[in-house]
Amino acid sequence: MMKAINKVLATTLTAGLLATTFPVTHTGNTVQAATKVCKSNKKTPKNVIFMIGDGMGPSYIAAHRYMRDNKATKQLDRISFDDYLLGAQTTIADDEHQNITDSASAATAMSAGVKTYNSAIAVDVNKHEVKTVLEQAKSKYKSTGLVATSEVTHATPAAYGAHDESRKNMAAIADDYYDEMINKQHKVDVILGGGKDYFERKDRNLIKAFEKDGYKYVTNKNELLKATADTKAKQLLGLFSPGGMPKMIDRDDNMPSLQQMTNTAIKKLSTNKHGFFLMVEGSQIDWAGHANDITGAMSEMQDFDLAFQEAINFAKTDCNTLVIATADHSTGGLSMGQGGEYNFFVDPIKKMKHTPEYLRAQLMKDGADVDAIIKENIGFELTEDEIKNIKDAVAAKDAVKIEDAIEKPVNKRSFTGWTTGGHTGEDVYIYGYGPGSEQWRGSMDNTDNAKRIFKFFK
Ligand SMILES: [Zn+2]
């Protein structure tokens, strides 16, 4: 009985505390909380930061909460998102053959307020271009930014800054970022993420072109930090890898985090007195979901969480900024608990030093010491069969099988379930803070995001 009362008391205290000193999570890796509280009753924000956790369905949020929980306390600790939950949205696509959305269709719904077919980049079902909130912002002389950990030409950012009948045309999407002018300006002022290969091509060098037009170009974390401090650099192109960036737990010191990129983008864009629109994507939560890789999924949730805290902190000191964080769909059918087991154990996930994807690349190198790589990076005991599966896959040089052979033991020990290698159709949560955020309360459709932002940017 006493215990029960204590628990209630502890929960109440924590909840009260969180309201003022967000964020309180466990051991490190949190962003220093803003202490200022905005006191205005503004209903229209000047700036909008729209954040998309690609594939971040409800089970990813709940699994992330177990990952962040401080086991020394009895209650399940709250995560940064919990203080900002507003509602949920439906994600269905307008596609002849599929009623579960892909990232392109969902992003077009959120960027332009238009339902469309899977693979469409800011075009409607008739393949006609539709205006995006980023373009509307630019037409109102606001600054604009796109930040992603995938190629910055990937489906989600593309649906804000480009138009194409297919998400596959990533070179044409990069061309759009440069070629499509609004008020005689390039429409995206800050572009940060992966995908250098789509900007520096045989047929065209967009990096040189952007530089010629006054953009500062950066390729690693140090250069990014320098450019952040350089107040003369207003427009910024940062491409940190040929394709997608490494996942958070696989990054070396040269790679910026999503939080750092978000911080830089905000610093650059917020100098415009007309305001700004910034889209930030935690791109690879989805990629880990497709691979049924819980290690990668939890790595990317943490990366996105920290970026969210960064944006919230800015909004709390700025008082003119709306932050919305949501997902485009869920991926993989992730479940906490599997095979009738009433448990979801995070320790095996935490014991992984890298993602299976990263380890696969190491294992496939000539002369790789397979035993040593396994021992150093998989922090729990594998069975002989499990080791044999990995070794057989390495001998066969089968990339998919190698990753699979590493993922399975983690899924098995953590009781992580997966039902598909594709997307799933659940509603996704919406989090938010700032002027106008009350409009996101309750149940809505993904197209409502754009409809509301358009009204703010009238
Ligand atoms: Zn996906």
Side-chain angles (χ1 to χ4, degrees), residues 335-406:
S335 70
M336 301 162 68
Q338 194 271 329
E341 176 75 23
Y342 282 41
N343 272 304
F344 176 66
F345 292 133
V346 295
D347 282 352
I349 306 167
K350 289 184 177 172
K351 283 182 175 156
M352 293 291 291
K353 298 258 168 29
H354 284 287
T355 63
E357 179 193 19
Y358 176 95
L359 296 178
R360 181 256 302 152
Q362 303 303 309
L363 288 164
M364 287 182 90
K365 281 182 186 160
D366 283 339
D369 183 341
V370 176
D371 285 302
I373 292 170
I374 292 174
K375 206 166 183 273
E376 277 163 32
N377 294 289
I378 302 177
F380 53 82
E381 204 78 41
L382 291 171
T383 66
E384 272 173 37
D385 277 352
E386 286 168 338
I387 294 172
K388 186 177 179 295
N389 285 343
I390 297 173
K391 286 185 170 170
D392 288 351
V394 172
K397 293 190 167 39
D398 187 328
V400 175
K401 271 204 180 134
I402 298 171
E403 285 186 37
D404 240 37
I406 302 170

Side-chain angles (χ1 to χ4, degrees), residues 229-387:
D230 176 4
T231 51
K232 269 182 267 165
K234 295 273 185 234
Q235 292 175 306
L236 189 59
L237 174 65
L239 300 170
F240 306 101
S241 54
M245 291 169 66
K247 291 190 178 63
M248 187 178 195
I249 61 165
D250 298 335
R251 279 176 213 145
D252 63 23
D253 259 0
N254 286 319
M255 283 285 163
S257 66
L258 189 62
Q259 181 199 345
Q260 280 159 342
M261 293 194 287
T262 302
N263 173 284
T264 298
I266 291 172
K267 284 212 168 103
K268 293 293 159 205
L269 302 175
S270 60
T271 58
N272 182 339
K273 67 176 194 294
H274 300 293
F276 69 87
F277 173 81
L278 169 64
M279 195 292 303
V280 176
E281 185 195 30
S283 318
Q284 300 190 30
I285 300 164
D286 170 73
W287 294 7
H290 280 286
N292 291 180
D293 162 25
I294 189 65
T295 311
M298 293 299 99
S299 153
E300 299 313 279
M301 279 302 300
Q302 177 63 0
D303 199 33
F304 187 65
D305 183 342
L306 295 173
F308 175 69
Q309 294 180 43
E310 183 74 39
I312 289 283
N313 273 345
F314 172 77
K316 285 197 160 175
T317 46
D318 178 70
C319 301
N320 249 324
T321 302
L322 168 67
V323 178
I324 295 291
T326 186
D328 47 0
H329 52 75
S330 194
T331 305
L334 169 63
S335 70
M336 301 162 68
Q338 194 271 329
E341 176 75 23
Y342 282 41
N343 272 304
F344 176 66
F345 292 133
V346 295
D347 282 352
I349 306 167
K350 289 184 177 172
K351 283 182 175 156
M352 293 291 291
K353 298 258 168 29
H354 284 287
T355 63
E357 179 193 19
Y358 176 95
L359 296 178
R360 181 256 302 152
Q362 303 303 309
L363 288 164
M364 287 182 90
K365 281 182 186 160
D366 283 339
D369 183 341
V370 176
D371 285 302
I373 292 170
I374 292 174
K375 206 166 183 273
E376 277 163 32
N377 294 289
I378 302 177
F380 53 82
E381 204 78 41
L382 291 171
T383 66
E384 272 173 37
D385 277 352
E386 286 168 338
I387 294 172

Side-chain angles (χ1 to χ4, degrees), residues 89-101:
Q89 65 180 1
T90 52
T91 65
I92 190 167
D94 182 6
D95 188 287
E96 255 187 286
H97 311 288
Q98 300 176 322
N99 66 10
I100 292 176
T101 194

Side-chain angles (χ1 to χ4, degrees), residues 103-323:
S103 293
S105 168
T108 300
M110 292 190 281
S111 74
V114 173
K115 288 280 187 194
T116 188
Y117 61 94
N118 282 345
S119 195
I121 299 296
V123 297
D124 65 15
V125 287
N126 301 314
K127 301 187 175 173
H128 294 144
E129 294 188 4
V130 288
K131 190 183 202 180
T132 75
V133 291
L134 181 144
E135 292 167 335
Q136 176 65 14
K138 195 75 206 170
S139 75
K140 294 291 166 182
Y141 300 94
K142 290 178 191 286
S143 291
T144 56
L146 293 175
V147 173
T149 54
S150 60
E151 297 86 350
V152 75
T153 48
H154 212 261
T156 307
Y160 282 82
H163 303 273
D164 205 288
E165 61 177 68
S166 171
R167 57 185 288 168
K168 289 190 187 132
N169 300 328
M170 290 211 282
I173 287 163
D175 286 347
D176 275 8
Y177 293 166
Y178 182 81
D179 293 333
E180 296 185 353
M181 313 287 275
I182 295 175
N183 293 336
K184 292 182 187 155
Q185 281 185 18
H186 297 297
K187 63 182 164 186
V188 199
D189 297 298
V190 174
I191 302 174
L192 301 173
K196 188 169 172 241
D197 283 356
Y198 297 97
F199 288 80
E200 197 170 50
R201 316 188 305 254
K202 273 193 190 122
D203 66 313
R204 212 172 165 190
N205 190 332
L206 294 168
I207 296 171
K208 286 241 160 68
F210 270 119
E211 280 187 299
K212 201 165 151 261
D213 293 352
Y215 279 65
K216 180 98 192 148
Y217 174 58
V218 297
T219 59
N220 58 47
K221 187 168 88 181
N222 266 341
E223 289 174 8
L224 180 74
L225 293 176
K226 259 189 219 153
T228 311
D230 176 4
T231 51
K232 269 182 267 165
K234 295 273 185 234
Q235 292 175 306
L236 189 59
L237 174 65
L239 300 170
F240 306 101
S241 54
M245 291 169 66
K247 291 190 178 63
M248 187 178 195
I249 61 165
D250 298 335
R251 279 176 213 145
D252 63 23
D253 259 0
N254 286 319
M255 283 285 163
S257 66
L258 189 62
Q259 181 199 345
Q260 280 159 342
M261 293 194 287
T262 302
N263 173 284
T264 298
I266 291 172
K267 284 212 168 103
K268 293 293 159 205
L269 302 175
S270 60
T271 58
N272 182 339
K273 67 176 194 294
H274 300 293
F276 69 87
F277 173 81
L278 169 64
M279 195 292 303
V280 176
E281 185 195 30
S283 318
Q284 300 190 30
I285 300 164
D286 170 73
W287 294 7
H290 280 286
N292 291 180
D293 162 25
I294 189 65
T295 311
M298 293 299 99
S299 153
E300 299 313 279
M301 279 302 300
Q302 177 63 0
D303 199 33
F304 187 65
D305 183 342
L306 295 173
F308 175 69
Q309 294 180 43
E310 183 74 39
I312 289 283
N313 273 345
F314 172 77
K316 285 197 160 175
T317 46
D318 178 70
C319 301
N320 249 324
T321 302
L322 168 67
V323 178

